[in-house]
Amino acid sequence: MARPLRFRHSPESWSVDRVHRDLFRSLDDAIGARCTTPWYRPANGYEARRFDMDNGDTALFVWDDEEAYWMGNTETPSTLWRTEKYTFDEVPYPVARWAQRELLAGLHDEEPWLVDYPHLSWFFLPVFCSKDGRETTRTFFREHAAGFPDSSREAGCAFYESVLESGVLDEYRYTMASKLGTSDRLDPVRMSATMSEFTVAHLLTEAGYDIVPEIEVTTGHSIDFRAKRNGTGHLVEVTRPLPPTRRAANTAVAAVKETAGTKTSGQLSEHGGGVTLLVDCSSFRDDEWARVNGEKPSVGHRPAAVFRARPSGHVEAYSKGSVPVDLDGAVEWV
């Protein structure tokens, strides 16, 4: 499976003739291609070409007197096979800025509804334009309201636009965007679970914590977040139950217990304590959450908080045990 979009770096000298010979001809012979000037002018000192393939793939190539960068969601010409790969943050800023302008313009041309969500578009660009995941990731936001049931696309996307607008996750863009996946198989359940981590990042930030995702621990696992405030840090793990209509445990309370129990008996039991578990019930409808809220079932782990977020930004939660992560400024305890 192809990974999120990254640059390939060629530390060699390139010319227009070589670009035509080694790149364009290779692509045209294999899948059919057009080589054109890019939509946006590259930075001073650089030349660039855009390749649009007959199958809808796109590739960009930019070079100066000393090196070149290739980025595309298509097959890579053989002359670039053994080149190193880099993220947007790891290449010269003028190269990254130009490439992202090109890709965002293409994305918004194909998905005009995303124009209203510039931060969402930018953050998920490495997967929105990936080789295998471009259709599934766009479909998830377009047709599944970013994981919120009984909500509109506009409401779901607006919520995560506001989450990403803060910039707190920009440093971890590839780590977090990659979790949405680059598979050609649409899996709204797994993708919704991924978005829970963005929701929790928002809650922790709203509560005044500095966060770092994907904390490796001695068991060989990674915990979703370390949240730090006033010099004190806490580990936070996130899980998201399937809605009752999508699982054998066909009641909301059973869904919460089973999902949290799986997390507790596996990853968290091996860690041996010191982790706050946050159980995200945002996939539950109003009536399903009302049953959970009414009974407030235990989740087999303490400390824990069970919550449900709505696209409006309103979050309700209840706790089990003494939760060391102070979420008072981010949730309504019920």
Side-chain angles (χ1 to χ4, degrees):
M1 181 174 67
R3 299 179 65 186
L5 207 59
R6 293 187 294 171
F7 288 95
R8 286 183 175 271
H9 174 240
S10 170
E12 299 178 354
S13 176
W14 287 80
S15 66
V16 173
D17 288 342
R18 187 183 176 190
V19 170
H20 190 274
R21 181 184 67 248
D22 291 354
L23 303 182
F24 171 64
R25 285 184 181 174
S26 174
L27 293 167
D28 194 34
D29 290 344
I31 53 180
R34 290 180 296 111
C35 177
T36 62
T37 55
W39 296 353
Y40 294 93
R41 180 181 299 175
N44 290 338
Y46 289 94
E47 289 192 66
R49 293 293 184 272
R50 180 184 181 97
F51 301 93
D52 292 295
M53 270 50 77
D54 291 350
N55 65 357
D57 294 350
T58 300
L60 305 172
F61 193 71
V62 59
W63 73 95
D64 62 11
D65 294 336
E66 299 179 352
E67 59 184 354
Y69 293 90
W70 161 275
M71 172 172 278
N73 54 25
T74 191
E75 63 179 65
T76 303
S78 59
T79 190
L80 298 172
W81 280 354
R82 292 178 176 82
T83 51
E84 296 292 328
K85 296 179 181 179
Y86 297 96
T87 68
F88 286 111
D89 293 333
E90 295 170 334
V91 303
Y93 175 74
V95 171
R97 182 177 183 273
W98 168 77
Q100 289 181 106
R101 291 185 74 191
E102 287 280 324
L103 293 170
L104 282 168
L107 174 66
H108 289 160
D109 186 58
E110 296 169 2
E111 305 285 347
W113 59 273
L114 273 171
V115 172
D116 292 334
Y117 313 105
H119 296 89
L120 185 76
S121 299
W122 175 84
F123 193 92
F124 288 105
L125 191 66
V127 292
F128 279 156
C129 294
S130 63
K131 180 175 177 58
D132 295 330
R134 61 185 187 245
E135 297 297 334
T136 53
T137 52
R138 298 177 194 186
T139 299
F140 173 68
F141 285 101
R142 185 179 61 243
E143 299 180 11
H144 295 272
F148 287 111
D150 303 330
S151 296
S152 67
R153 175 182 73 197
E154 290 77 12
C157 289
F159 173 76
Y160 286 113
E161 174 73 10
S162 68
V163 169
L164 295 171
E165 187 177 12
S166 69
V168 296
L169 290 173
D170 286 0
E171 182 180 352
Y172 312 106
R173 179 188 184 189
Y174 267 76
T175 297
M176 296 297 291
S178 298
K179 293 185 177 191
L180 197 61
T182 54
S183 171
D184 59 3
R185 177 178 174 271
L186 179 66
D187 187 348
V189 170
R190 184 192 58 74
M191 290 176 165
S192 296
T194 293
M195 299 313 296
S196 290
E197 296 185 36
F198 287 85
T199 303
V200 167
H202 170 67
L203 297 181
L204 293 171
T205 301
E206 286 290 291
Y209 287 92
D210 295 322
I211 58 174
V212 178
E214 291 299 295
I215 304 303
E216 294 186 6
V217 293
T218 56
T219 60
H221 295 100
S222 290
I223 301 299
D224 289 326
F225 292 102
R226 179 172 58 238
K228 189 174 183 179
R229 191 176 72 178
N230 299 327
T232 302
H234 306 282
L235 295 177
V236 176
E237 183 68 11
V238 185
T239 191
R240 182 165 178 150
L242 278 170
T245 54
R246 297 290 301 275
R247 60 184 300 135
N250 60 359
T251 70
V253 170
V256 170
K257 288 182 175 180
E258 287 192 8
T259 298
T262 298
K263 178 72 72 171
T264 300
S265 63
Q267 181 179 356
L268 295 186
S269 66
E270 292 185 33
H271 186 263
V275 179
T276 297
L277 178 63
L278 298 186
V279 183
D280 181 6
C281 295
S282 298
S283 290
F284 288 17
R285 299 189 308 263
D286 289 347
D287 59 324
E288 294 165 344
W289 170 245
R291 294 188 188 99
V292 173
N293 184 26
E295 187 168 326
K296 294 182 173 57
S298 176
V299 296
H301 177 88
R302 293 177 180 234
V306 182
F307 72 92
R308 180 180 183 248
R310 303 302 297 145
S312 64
H314 181 244
V315 182
E316 294 182 342
Y318 70 87
S319 63
K320 291 294 181 179
S322 180
V323 178
V325 180
D326 178 12
L327 296 177
D328 287 353
V331 306
E332 177 188 352
W333 296 107
V334 292

